Amino acid sequence: MNHHTIPAELELKPLEPGVCSNGEWAAQGEELLSTDPTTSKELARVVGATPEDTLRVIQGAQSAFESWKKLPAPRRGEYVRLIGEELRRYKKPLGKLVSLECGKILSEGEGEVQEMIDIADFAVGLSRTIGGATLPSERPEHRMFEQWHPLGPVGVITAFNFPVAVWSWNALVAAICGDTVIWKPSEKTPLSAVAVQKICNKVLEPEGFSGVFNLCAGGRETGEQIAVDERLPLISATGSCRMGREVGTAVAARMGRSLLELGGNNAVIVLDDADLDLALRAVLFGSLGTAGQRCTTTRRVLAQKNVFGELSRKLADAYGSAVVGDPLDPQTLVGPLIDEEAVGTFLRAVATARDSGAEILSGGKAGEGPGSFVEPTLIRAERGTEIVQEETFAPILYLIEVDGLDEAISIQNSVSQGLSSAIFTDSLRSAERFLCATGSDCGIANVNIGTSGAEIGGAFGGEKETGGGREAGSDSWKAYMRRQTCTINYGTELPLAQGVRFDID
Ligand code: UN1
């Protein structure tokens, strides 16, 4: 696979330092291997952080915060705009690198960079619109209002499946808020992080700013060190529920804030009155996109009796013919899993499903290598099948037959995560019941749209073990700022709230 080479425009070397503090690159820790999951060959190596390196990054981000927070927000937005411009310029090579390093198909790799561009544009707009409410004071000649201040240096821990976009949701919004950022990328995709850090440096250094965006590649210990450091008022972490529980607990123990975006076990409900073609296409993208390795991946289809048979057949056909292979080949729909460990997890889940009596309708096997390929796998399960409760980060879709909407909603909500959900129906009443307070318990609820592929303009995240955080659009920026309630007395009296009297004479 000759074309599996790192795009030259990104100016990456086979051995890169993975620590960038205040614009200076240096790292002394263990080497992290960047592997191409398609060929199982090494793409490059990135030197990770030692505890001293991490300390240096935190100190650098803390001192950069002192000057960055003083800049008017629209000026900060201007720098984010320039980063967005640069990302537009690098969309193709960076998209290819993302595809190479994490194995998602090229269109999704480029889509991920587009997601960064979109959030940059959004953050630029925010830089002129973030503001606080003025609230009615109960006291005469008083004005009460809220204002939002920069929070501090923020730790951002990201996962392999969106190696760059999720950083941008956090970092670009945090930057316009006046925060500086320390990025701990997944140890499985360190090279994409180095490429993005270089793009940020290229923009900010000529402007005399360094230390706003910092990189701290490393393993688990690096993440742990960042989580416990009291100088970081906020840790935003994306990844497994297990990781989120550890980070969240460590941050809470020091009274810090965490913003968690963890696993999902997302379902699509298909009712008898659904447009089946639409449902089919949405389920295919939702379950097979990114080889089933999105937190928003469709993992369960809850189909009503009269459409169950037809939908199962159509899905099985489509699963059998979906092209699995080189993510850079335009015909491919399903690339490899991230690594061999992920293949092992896939095989164990299939075996567990089979042992529990579930029927494998399509797929179930792993490829013979090289590359960590698996077959798109469709499994007919029952409501009580235990493995269905688990999020297996692989293209496995469980199909469950349901009587009607109430049963579907109850099954959908019975898992421990609450990220994304969808219903396919042409009934207004069913759609509204799915969206009302007794309907879906997830952070995202869609009608006639699948569970994955959210736009950046909405707040992204979910409930229960998904962690409760909200990132990207809407008012998610508030997580990166501290709120201050201010009351001004412009009168000559000092009335007390709640009618309390405290007369001195
Ligand atoms: C993730 O998998 O962590 O909604 C993020 C989506 C993407 C983001 C997924 N925009 O599928």
Side-chain angles (χ1 to χ4, degrees):
M1 294 203 187
N2 294 335
H3 58 302
H4 272 240
T5 48
I6 299 165
E9 300 93 306
L10 297 172
E11 296 176 26
L12 294 165
K13 298 184 290 295
L15 185 65
E16 285 279 356
V19 174
C20 181
S21 172
N22 265 322
E24 302 290 325
W25 292 89
Q28 330 258 321
E30 279 175 28
E31 287 178 9
L32 309 169
L33 211 55
S34 168
T35 307
D36 180 340
T38 309
T39 59
S40 304
K41 289 199 181 117
E42 178 181 318
L43 276 172
R45 265 175 283 168
V46 171
V47 185
T50 58
E52 295 73 36
D53 290 332
T54 305
L55 217 58
R56 190 161 42 82
V57 178
I58 295 172
Q59 280 158 359
Q62 196 185 22
S63 66
F65 173 65
E66 294 307 319
S67 48
W68 185 247
K69 72 177 173 188
K70 291 189 188 138
L71 220 59
R75 287 275 313 281
R76 298 192 291 251
E78 172 59 12
Y79 295 121
V80 170
R81 189 186 69 77
L82 294 174
I83 290 174
E85 290 297 306
E86 213 57 18
L87 289 169
R88 280 182 168 84
R89 204 162 299 138
Y90 283 100
K91 181 172 169 182
K92 283 207 172 281
L94 187 57
K96 181 181 172 188
L97 177 64
V98 167
S99 290
L100 275 178
E101 199 179 30
C102 83
K104 61 174 69 176
I105 62 171
L106 196 53
S107 164
E108 290 184 297
E110 289 178 9
E112 175 154 359
V113 182
Q114 185 58 47
E115 197 159 338
M116 302 173 84
I117 296 167
D118 293 344
I119 200 86
D121 288 354
F122 177 80
V124 175
L126 272 183
S127 74
R128 287 187 184 269
T129 55
I130 49 173
T134 296
L135 303 147
S137 169
E138 67 186 55
R139 290 171 280 188
E141 299 186 307
H142 279 57
R143 182 165 74 87
M144 182 161 68
F145 62 97
E146 288 180 341
Q147 50 180 2
W148 296 84
H149 293 303
L151 190 61
V154 168
V156 176
I157 298 172
T158 57
F160 76 83
N161 64 335
F162 274 81
V164 292
V166 172
W167 165 83
S168 71
W169 296 354
N170 286 279
L172 300 183
V173 172
I176 69 98
C177 290
D179 302 338
T180 54
V181 179
I182 297 160
W183 182 12
K184 204 303 258 175
S186 162
E187 55 267 46
K188 294 176 183 174
T189 51
L191 201 60
S192 301
V194 169
V196 168
Q197 180 67 40
K198 286 192 170 184
I199 291 172
C200 292
N201 290 359
K202 201 173 152 207
V203 171
L204 287 181
E205 272 168 20
E207 303 288 337
F209 279 105
S210 53
V212 177
F213 301 107
N214 305 278
L215 182 65
C216 198
R220 193 192 161 105
E221 324 70 54
T222 308
E224 284 167 0
Q225 192 180 343
I226 289 172
V228 297
D229 198 298
E230 298 198 339
R231 287 166 292 188
L232 308 180
L234 172 70
I235 303 292
S236 171
T238 304
S240 67
C241 296
R242 181 199 54 74
M243 178 281 296
R245 190 168 277 119
E246 286 173 17
V247 170
T249 311
V251 177
R254 61 173 174 88
M255 301 291 191
R257 282 194 219 164
S258 52
L259 201 175
L260 302 175
E261 202 266 279
L262 311 173
N265 190 345
N266 317 297
V268 168
I269 297 173
V270 184
L271 296 185
D272 284 346
D273 58 12
D275 178 332
L276 265 201
D277 286 337
L278 217 60
L280 182 71
R281 282 167 54 198
V283 169
L284 287 173
F285 173 62
S287 59
L288 299 183
T290 324
Q293 299 171 109
R294 289 191 189 211
C295 55
T296 52
T297 291
T298 306
R299 310 218 171 270
R300 301 174 292 152
V301 166
L302 312 172
Q304 206 173 356
K305 280 188 182 137
N306 290 340
V307 284
F308 185 85
E310 189 181 346
L311 187 62
S312 317
R313 275 191 302 281
K314 286 188 166 163
L315 275 171
D317 284 351
Y319 262 58
S321 59
V323 180
V324 181
D326 180 357
L328 299 186
D329 182 339
Q331 303 303 316
T332 302
L333 287 182
V334 185
L337 293 182
I338 187 68
D339 55 17
E340 282 308 311
E341 196 186 328
V343 175
T345 309
F346 162 86
L347 288 172
R348 276 194 299 282
V350 174
T352 309
R354 195 179 272 125
D355 291 349
S356 67
E359 185 189 352
I360 317 288
L361 301 176
S362 183
K365 293 198 277 299
E368 285 173 359
S372 6
F373 290 96
V374 300
E375 289 176 343
T377 300
L378 191 64
I379 300 180
R380 182 177 179 159
E382 300 299 325
R383 181 179 180 153
T385 310
E386 226 168 284
I387 187 74
V388 179
Q389 299 296 115
E390 273 175 42
E391 176 194 39
T392 304
F393 234 50
I396 299 176
L397 181 65
Y398 300 106
L399 270 173
I400 298 172
E401 187 178 314
V402 295
D403 286 332
L405 181 61
D406 290 341
E407 188 190 11
I409 291 175
S410 129
I411 297 177
Q412 188 212 264
N413 292 348
S414 68
V415 294
S416 53
Q417 307 88 340
L419 180 55
S420 189
S421 59
I423 190 169
F424 280 77
T425 178
D426 277 350
S427 153
L428 176 68
R429 188 172 291 156
S430 300
E432 290 290 343
R433 279 176 57 206
F434 172 75
L435 296 176
C436 80
T438 51
S440 165
D441 65 359
C442 294
I444 298 171
N446 295 332
V447 176
N448 294 337
I449 296 178
T451 58
S452 70
E455 303 174 21
I456 58 94
F460 184 94
E463 305 303 334
K464 303 192 287 186
E465 286 188 9
T466 302
R470 291 296 186 279
E471 294 172 343
S474 184
D475 63 352
S476 304
W477 58 269
K478 290 178 176 169
Y480 307 89
M481 303 200 85
R482 65 182 169 88
R483 183 196 310 239
Q484 190 167 62
T485 304
C486 311
T487 311
I488 297 179
N489 175 4
Y490 56 90
T492 53
E493 302 294 317
L494 195 73
L496 299 177
Q498 295 89 41
V500 173
R501 300 205 60 89
F502 203 81
D503 297 330
I504 292 165
D505 43 30

